[in-house]
Amino acid sequence: MKVTINDVAKLSGVSIKTVSRVTNNEVSVRQATRDKVMAAIQELNYQPNLAARSLAGTKSYTIAYIYDNPNAYYIIDMQNGILSECRKQSFELLIHPCNSKSADIIEEIVSMIKQSRIAGVVLTPPFSEMPSVAERLTEIGVKFVRILSGRNVPDTDSPCIMVNDFDAAFEISQHLIDLGHTDIGFISGGKEHKSTLERIEGYKAALTKNSIDCREDLIIDGEYSFESGVKGAEQLLAKPNRPTAIFSCNDEIAAGALFASRLQNITIPEQLSIVGFENSPFSRQTWPKITTADQPNQTIAKHATALLINDIREQKPDEICEQITPSLLVRDSSGAVTN
């Protein structure tokens, strides 16, 4: 027989309404009562019927993750992080891939929200960087959390997670400089992404701090893809005064740069150091493994989801924005300059 909310109420000696308040994490329940109900839930292995719970009342217990990102590893990490927090907080997750460049993208998002009775939305780039999306969600009264690249909170209109790409890029660049590199190439991701601009600025700031001239000819425009890493490395390695190190804007680009270098029989890191960013599986599946910035995407997603659900429940913390800085992870693809 399937365990019901009635069984939990009977075992814990409280009303069905009290059990519902506990499963909804409402703050009006005394801790002793909450502990008693949670013990009954655990003993009976009770699983709340979230769909029925939403239909029975006016509240929705579903949040949505909308995305448009070519990096499958990033998407999977985000989904896993969001789903983990949803399960912890007894919420459902709807995953909605879409085209951010579509002319009617705003109305597509609104239609999805209304049809699926969405309580809140997790926004990652590029949607988190589109003011029109935030404005429309505010208009229809739907809560949202943004995951953004940057050092400064843009506003306090909604909860957000700020990823400090600038400081992380500075640290990676400083690592290469400490190894003796002064001619450091840079292969960027798409310039429409704020993360790209922050990483370029961090790279340039490290050069400036160490009194190293920034060679603009060593900065190659690219996209967040393996192919872009291949093409970018080919351009850099064709220069008469080629770099001794390459900073790739993410690990997929770095893997492409590594591939292009190996085709030219360039040994890594003896003849060329290559670093990436994000600590995706690309950085661990190559040989040698790639030095990178460890960006904890699952943790970022979990924290963002917790902020969103708190906002939905109107349980706002003292700070509605958090900052996370990826940390340097040194592996075998970076080494000292050899004469």
Side-chain angles (χ1 to χ4, degrees), residues 1-4 8 11 38-48:
M1 295 289 291
K2 184 177 180 180
V3 176
T4 68
V8 176
L11 179 61
M38 290 305 297
I41 288 173
Q42 185 172 6
E43 181 178 338
L44 295 172
N45 193 26
Y46 171 63
Q47 301 293 328

Side-chain angles (χ1 to χ4, degrees), residues 94-109:
L94 184 148
I95 298 167
H96 187 77
C98 45
N99 179 6
S100 62
K101 295 182 175 64
S102 171
D104 59 352
I105 185 59
I106 303 294
E107 292 315 308
E108 177 188 335
I109 293 171

Side-chain angles (χ1 to χ4, degrees), residues 208-310:
T208 299
K209 183 178 180 181
N210 290 274
S211 301
I212 299 171
D213 291 335
C214 178
R215 289 176 52 191
E216 292 293 336
D217 67 306
L218 294 186
I219 300 176
I220 307 297
D221 290 340
E223 299 294 335
Y224 284 111
S225 68
F226 181 90
E227 293 75 14
S228 186
V230 173
K231 293 177 181 178
E234 288 174 345
Q235 288 179 254
L236 289 170
L237 296 175
K239 294 184 179 296
N241 185 16
R242 73 186 191 189
T244 60
I246 296 176
F247 182 159
S248 305
C249 220
N250 77 347
D251 295 327
E252 194 169 352
I253 295 172
L258 181 63
F259 177 78
S261 302
R262 298 288 284 276
L263 288 179
Q264 296 189 32
N265 294 319
I266 295 172
T267 57
I268 312 296
E270 291 80 9
Q271 294 176 291
L272 177 69
S273 288
I274 295 176
V275 299
F277 203 106
E278 289 176 12
N279 191 26
S280 75
F282 276 102
S283 68
R284 304 185 293 275
Q285 293 168 352
T286 61
W287 184 82
K289 291 182 173 66
I290 296 172
T291 293
T292 187
D294 184 12
Q295 180 172 304
N297 287 325
Q298 287 198 38
T299 299
I300 290 169
K302 287 172 68 175
H303 285 204
T305 305
L307 286 174
L308 175 60
I309 293 174
N310 282 342

